[in-house]
Amino acid sequence: FKSDSAMAPTDREVRAPWPGQVGAVFSTPEGISSVEIKHDQSLVSRIVFPGDVKGLREGQEVQSGAKLGAIDAAAPWLQWHLVRA
């Protein structure tokens, strides 16, 4: 799914879809970042994108809309998986 209106060229911020607790954060040597957020009702968001994650740590509480990182402008994609834990 791609929507030009959903991500304007100047809007590369990755934000939390819902409030929750950060379960895991890591980045690969290739620059791919992954953030896992544990939500209510045993739901878990797994967000993967090329770019930076800064200032997040495991166990940290985040609110809906909180900045998680920034997508690399050279490779603007994002995967969001919502699973039941």
Side-chain angles (χ1 to χ4, degrees), residues 5-85:
S5 63
M7 186 190 318
T10 57
D11 186 11
R12 302 275 184 215
E13 292 183 347
V14 177
R15 296 189 174 269
W18 296 302
Q21 184 179 56
V22 176
V25 179
F26 68 89
S27 297
T28 69
E30 296 79 23
I32 304 299
S33 294
S34 176
V35 178
E36 180 181 278
I37 303 171
K38 298 174 185 177
H39 307 290
D40 288 342
Q41 301 179 9
S42 300
L43 294 174
V44 177
S45 286
R46 293 188 181 122
I47 303 167
V48 180
F49 59 95
D52 297 329
V53 174
K54 295 197 187 220
L56 288 181
R57 64 189 183 289
E58 191 172 328
Q60 177 180 343
E61 295 290 329
V62 293
Q63 297 303 312
S64 179
K67 184 176 178 182
L68 304 175
I71 295 174
D72 183 345
W77 60 266
L78 178 141
Q79 292 179 350
W80 173 32
H81 301 272
L82 183 63
V83 298
R84 189 167 300 275

